[in-house]
Amino acid sequence: MKLRNLLVATGLLASASAASAADGAVSPHAYEIGEIFGIAITNSMVTSWVISLILILVIRLMVGKISLVPSKGQVVIETLVIGVRDLISPIVGKRMVGPTFWLLGGLFTFILISNWSGLLPGVGTIGHDTVQIHFDSVEQQNAFNSLPEGSEEREDMIKELRKEGQVHDHFRYVIRPANADLNMTFALAAVSMVAWLYYIFVYVGPRGVVKDIFGNKADKENVPMPVYYLLTIIFIGVGFIEIISILFRPVSLSFRLFGNMFGGENLLTSMHGIFAFLLPIPFYFLEVIIGFVQALVFTLLVAVYIGLICNHGDEEHGH
């Protein structure tokens, strides 16, 4: 079952879908454009594949053959690498910079370019108009499907359904920013949390993870024994609260990124609908800033999650 269908079933996207259908805004879900081996392919998926391919090709072409006297392209990539390393080093600790750089650097770069991809010409504008009909019952849908395409009876029924508010016009565009699709942001969050589990269990160990979550953080030598044992019970309870917060991390990561990017798409679409030439320009600059901030926030949060358990001072884990 697709993530969108699950959310609709639980009511999380019902109101959003209705509002989007009513005012002709951006659809809260990506459109299917085909199938591969029975797996639905959406416009957001294609955009993410294109972005990944472009990133790989551009980085390879810019770096070229690595040399001690770097080329201009190599300087740009090295600056990006050094910037990300300096950013995450105090958070995850020097010991974890190397193992986590591929994840955090990849997340930041991919999310940043994906966020900015919505500002490119053609994204959200190339497509065609479609009509969505919401039937009250299966019998009504069967009656509609039984009418021949283009017949007067079918057109009359569409007019009646439109009067009842069951027909909505949509602009079905071909290219959709990857992070304006909740499936993509949830996938990014899921990959991040799986990598987080790998890091904490490999570099800290199961015993260290349990101690970090449920262990008593007080200094046994400076706290009276009755108070220390009381704090042990309190910290165990806090550990269970921490487990609940960990379970909600994928939700908060995915919904925060999706909400900002989907909201930005709606904002630009609305501004273009009001006046397409000058009015949207300030909002494009706003989306550039928001795209950068959201990529930074997502990356830093994942780094913080890793650092909370893996970074307890290099003197404790130094080899």
Side-chain angles (χ1 to χ4, degrees), residues 73-89:
Q74 185 177 332
V75 169
V76 173
I77 300 302
E78 287 181 354
T79 301
L80 175 63
V81 170
I82 293 172
V84 175
R85 284 179 64 93
D86 292 344
L87 183 67
I88 66 175
S89 179

Side-chain angles (χ1 to χ4, degrees), residues 156-174:
D156 290 339
M157 188 172 183
I158 292 176
K159 291 179 181 179
E160 291 297 324
L161 293 174
R162 189 181 293 276
K163 291 179 181 179
E164 298 295 328
Q166 296 176 240
V167 179
H168 306 289
D169 298 316
H170 275 284
F171 182 70
R172 192 183 184 96
Y173 47 84
V174 177

Side-chain angles (χ1 to χ4, degrees), residues 213-217 229-245:
I213 296 176
F214 296 100
N216 194 329
K217 312 302 188 296
Y229 288 123
L230 177 62
L231 288 175
T232 299
I233 298 175
I234 294 174
F235 277 115
I236 291 175
V238 172
F240 284 106
I241 297 175
E242 178 69 13
I243 293 296
I244 296 175
S245 70

Side-chain angles (χ1 to χ4, degrees), residues 15 98 107 208 280:
S15 59
L107 283 174

Side-chain angles (χ1 to χ4, degrees), residues 32-287:
E32 295 182 9
I33 59 176
E35 288 187 359
I36 297 180
F37 303 114
I39 300 175
I41 305 300
T42 66
N43 47 4
S44 290
M45 292 171 63
V46 174
T47 304
S48 66
W49 295 341
V50 172
I51 290 173
S52 300
L53 182 61
I54 290 175
L55 280 175
I56 294 171
L57 293 177
V58 168
I59 291 175
R60 292 298 303 171
L61 291 174
M62 290 181 69
V63 174
K65 186 177 180 180
I66 300 176
S67 60
L68 293 177
V69 181
S71 62
K72 294 181 179 179
Q74 185 177 332
V75 169
V76 173
I77 300 302
E78 287 181 354
T79 301
L80 175 63
V81 170
I82 293 172
V84 175
R85 284 179 64 93
D86 292 344
L87 183 67
I88 66 175
S89 179
I91 303 174
V92 300
K94 293 181 180 179
R95 185 177 75 107
M96 296 299 297
V97 170
T100 61
F101 176 79
W102 68 270
L103 171 70
L104 299 175
L107 283 174
F108 177 76
T109 307
F110 178 80
I111 293 174
L112 179 64
I113 301 303
S114 296
N115 291 348
W116 286 350
S117 68
L119 307 177
L120 297 175
V123 178
T125 58
I126 298 177
H128 58 277
D129 293 321
T130 60
V131 175
Q132 291 187 344
I133 303 176
H134 302 275
F135 298 100
D136 289 335
S137 62
V138 177
E139 291 77 12
Q140 188 182 54
Q141 182 175 2
N142 292 335
F144 178 82
N145 292 333
S146 64
L147 298 175
E149 286 278 353
S151 64
E152 292 185 8
E153 294 83 358
R154 191 183 184 101
E155 295 299 323
D156 290 339
M157 188 172 183
I158 292 176
K159 291 179 181 179
E160 291 297 324
L161 293 174
R162 189 181 293 276
K163 291 179 181 179
E164 298 295 328
Q166 296 176 240
V167 179
H168 306 289
D169 298 316
H170 275 284
F171 182 70
R172 192 183 184 96
Y173 47 84
V174 177
I175 309 174
R176 179 189 180 97
N179 291 334
D181 180 11
L182 185 57
N183 292 282
M184 172 56 71
T185 59
F186 188 81
L188 290 171
V191 169
S192 301
M193 296 313 298
V194 169
W196 173 77
L197 290 172
Y198 168 81
Y199 288 129
I200 63 174
F201 283 110
V202 170
Y203 291 93
V204 178
R207 184 175 179 180
V209 172
V210 173
K211 182 180 179 181
D212 190 277
I213 296 176
F214 296 100
N216 194 329
K217 312 302 188 296
D219 189 347
K220 194 172 184 178
E221 297 180 357
N222 299 328
V223 178
M225 291 304 296
V227 176
Y228 182 82
Y229 288 123
L230 177 62
L231 288 175
T232 299
I233 298 175
I234 294 174
F235 277 115
I236 291 175
V238 172
F240 284 106
I241 297 175
E242 178 69 13
I243 293 296
I244 296 175
S245 70
I246 290 172
L247 294 176
F248 275 94
R249 285 175 182 176
V251 177
S252 63
L253 285 172
S254 57
F255 272 78
R256 181 187 296 107
L257 182 57
F258 165 74
N260 281 276
M261 294 304 101
F262 176 69
E265 281 296 292
N266 269 295
L267 176 64
L268 293 178
T269 300
S270 299
M271 294 303 103
H272 274 283
I274 296 173
F275 192 72
F277 296 102
L278 296 177
L279 185 60
I281 293 178
F283 297 97
Y284 272 90
F285 287 106
L286 177 63
E287 287 304 307

